[in-house]
Each structure stands twice: as C-alpha cells, then as structure tokens.
C-alpha cells in the first residue's frame, strides 16, 4: 500500500529580532525629546539612560553622538548630555522655510486630484480623533503628515527632501505649542479644514493665504507671544 507523502515540514517561525542596542537607545531618547518628556535643559546621564533602556553604556554613547550631530543634544564629557531648547533663531528658520515650501506646494496642489482630496480628508479626521483622545504627540505627527502630503503632491522631489529635514523640529515645536496653548489644537484642525476646502475649490490664492496665516502663527505661539 503506497504511503501518503508526509506534509512538508514548516520551518520554525523566526523570532523577531530586536533592533541593535544603540538603535534602541537612539529611538528612546529621540522620541522623548520630540514629545517633550525630555524637555530642553534636561541633563541626561549615560547611567540613567542605560538603566532606562536596559543596555550597557557603550551603545548609549553611540546613540548620544548621533543625536548630537542631529542638533538635539549637546554632550559634556563626564557630565552627560544636555537636551537643547528650541531657540528663537531655530523657530524663525523653520517657519520661514515652511512658508517658502508650503505656500508653493499649496498653489501647486490646485487643481487637486481626487486621491489628494481623499487623503487630506482622511488625515484631518484622524487628527480630530487623536485630539479627542488627548494624544498630543500623535496629533503633532498627524498635523505634520497633513502638510507633508500637500508638499509631496507638489511634484518637486528636492523640496520634498528639504521638507523632510524639518520633521523633527516641526514635531517638537508642535507639541510645545499644544501644551502651552490647548485651544490651538482645535484651531489647527479648523485651519486644516479651511486649507482642504480651498484646495478642493481649486482656489490656489486662498490656499496660499490660509497656509501663510496658519504656519505664521507657529512663531508667535512657540515664543509665547500670543495675545
């Protein structure tokens, strides 16, 4: 009697590999700086970071060197790493760059494809839900995604890469604004809705005006000059 072929032996499911230790430390610190769990002026020590992530000090040093290059911290030998505060000059530089890129992109978005309109509407709804949940860090990420989607659709890869370089600074400033001005969360959502409607209506001039007013408020709010 023929023997039925045995079922092929399935290879064991490979366990998910954890990221390298230095990458885990880097992610831990960067996320904490961007969502302001580590605020500007906080002194981080290698020992505390090693304990927090569960690694030795060697990967901590590697991660701190990388973050210093990115401009988020300043290393002080034998003392630790100081989380750098957002400076007035940095705010000015980021806002000016955003205006240059985003006003151009808002005009280029018109006439908008149905896909862009649908994507912006989806991001706006997701931002509303996150705001209701009170997750400020996630709201800041979704806020930036809304603007980045418009920039991406401008069709200029150089501008898109330039805009991507602003990501960390935008997120950090976004959380700072929402913490200091809780009412700004709903205002941001309202202004995003206005921008979406201007793009949907095919009004490039109005879209640019909305962007200029919306982004320009960041400098005032982060510096605490809101009236």
């Amino acid at each position: 009697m023929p023997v039925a072929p045995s079922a092929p032996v399935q290879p064991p499911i490979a366990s998910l590999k954890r990221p390298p230790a230095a990458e885990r430390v880097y992610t831990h610190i960067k996320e904490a700086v961007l969502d302001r769990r580590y605020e500007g002026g906080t002194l981080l020590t290698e020992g505390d970071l090693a304990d927090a992530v569960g690694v030795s000090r060697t990967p901590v040093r590697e991660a701190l060197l990388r973050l210093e290059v990115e401009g988020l911290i300043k290393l002080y030998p034998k003392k630790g790493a100081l989380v750098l505060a957002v400076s007035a000059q940095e705010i000015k530089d980021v806002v000016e760059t955003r205006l240059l890129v985003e006003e151009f992109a808002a005009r280029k978005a018109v006439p908008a494809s149905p896909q862009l309109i649908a994507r912006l509407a989806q991001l706006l709804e997701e931002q509303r839900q996150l705001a209701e949940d009170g997750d400020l860090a996630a709201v800041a990420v979704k806020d930036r995604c809304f603007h980045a989607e418009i920039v991406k659709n401008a069709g200029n890869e150089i501008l898109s890469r330039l805009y991507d370089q602003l990501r960390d600074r935008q997120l950090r400033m976004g959380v700072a604004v929402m913490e200091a001005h809780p009412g700004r969360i709903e205002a941001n959502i309202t202004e995003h809705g206005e921008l979406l409607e201007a793009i949907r209506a095919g009004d490039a001039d109005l879209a640019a005006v909305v962007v200029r007013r919306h982004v320009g408020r960041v400098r005032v709010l982060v510096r605490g000059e809101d009236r």
Side-chain angles (χ1 to χ4, degrees):
M1 182 175 179
V3 178
S6 59
V9 177
Q10 295 294 327
I13 298 174
S15 59
L16 294 175
K17 292 183 178 180
R18 298 182 72 191
E23 188 67 28
R24 298 203 307 274
V25 178
Y26 169 83
T27 300
H28 168 81
I29 300 171
K30 186 165 186 175
E31 288 181 351
V33 170
L34 295 184
D35 66 22
R36 289 169 58 85
R37 281 177 287 132
Y38 293 156
E39 295 189 20
T42 302
L43 184 65
L44 308 174
T45 67
E46 291 182 1
D48 287 344
L49 292 170
D51 290 342
V53 185
V55 298
S56 68
R57 295 193 180 200
T58 299
V60 172
R61 296 188 191 103
E62 184 179 333
L64 290 175
L65 286 169
R66 184 175 168 189
L67 289 161
E68 184 177 45
V69 171
E70 294 182 8
L72 292 177
I73 65 168
K74 173 67 176 177
L75 290 174
Y76 290 94
K78 299 182 180 180
K79 292 184 179 180
L82 183 69
V83 178
L84 296 177
V86 178
S87 68
Q89 184 63 47
E90 182 179 359
I91 295 167
K92 177 176 179 293
D93 292 347
V94 169
V95 170
E96 287 180 351
T97 305
R98 284 191 63 186
L99 286 172
L100 287 170
V101 174
E102 292 189 41
E103 283 192 52
F104 170 83
R107 290 183 182 278
K108 290 280 286 186
V110 176
S113 67
Q115 292 79 11
L116 176 59
I117 295 298
R119 178 59 177 154
L120 292 177
Q122 176 190 357
L123 289 169
L124 184 58
E125 181 55 37
E126 290 173 355
Q127 188 180 5
R128 284 196 183 98
Q129 185 58 58
L130 290 167
E132 291 177 6
D133 296 341
D135 189 339
L136 298 188
V139 171
V141 170
K142 200 65 64 174
D143 183 304
R144 188 194 177 279
C145 286
F146 183 91
H147 291 277
E149 191 69 26
I150 298 172
V151 173
K152 183 175 69 176
N153 277 269
N156 187 314
E157 292 186 7
I158 294 176
L159 279 183
S160 291
R161 287 197 294 270
L162 172 63
Y163 194 74
D164 285 344
Q165 293 174 14
L166 300 177
R167 176 185 178 277
D168 293 347
R169 291 175 172 83
Q170 282 180 257
L171 294 180
R172 198 173 177 200
M173 291 178 190
V175 174
V177 166
M178 288 185 287
E179 286 182 347
H181 307 274
R184 189 60 199 166
I185 301 173
E186 186 58 38
N188 276 348
I189 293 172
T190 297
E191 289 167 13
H192 283 179
E194 293 171 355
L195 179 54
L196 171 57
E197 290 310 310
I199 292 173
R200 195 199 306 268
D203 193 334
D205 289 337
L206 178 58
V209 168
V210 174
V211 166
R212 191 180 311 122
R213 182 178 66 242
H214 176 66
V215 176
R217 292 292 294 164
V218 174
R219 183 190 306 179
V220 175
L221 292 166
V222 175
R223 293 174 63 177
E225 299 171 0
D226 188 37
R227 294 293 185 267

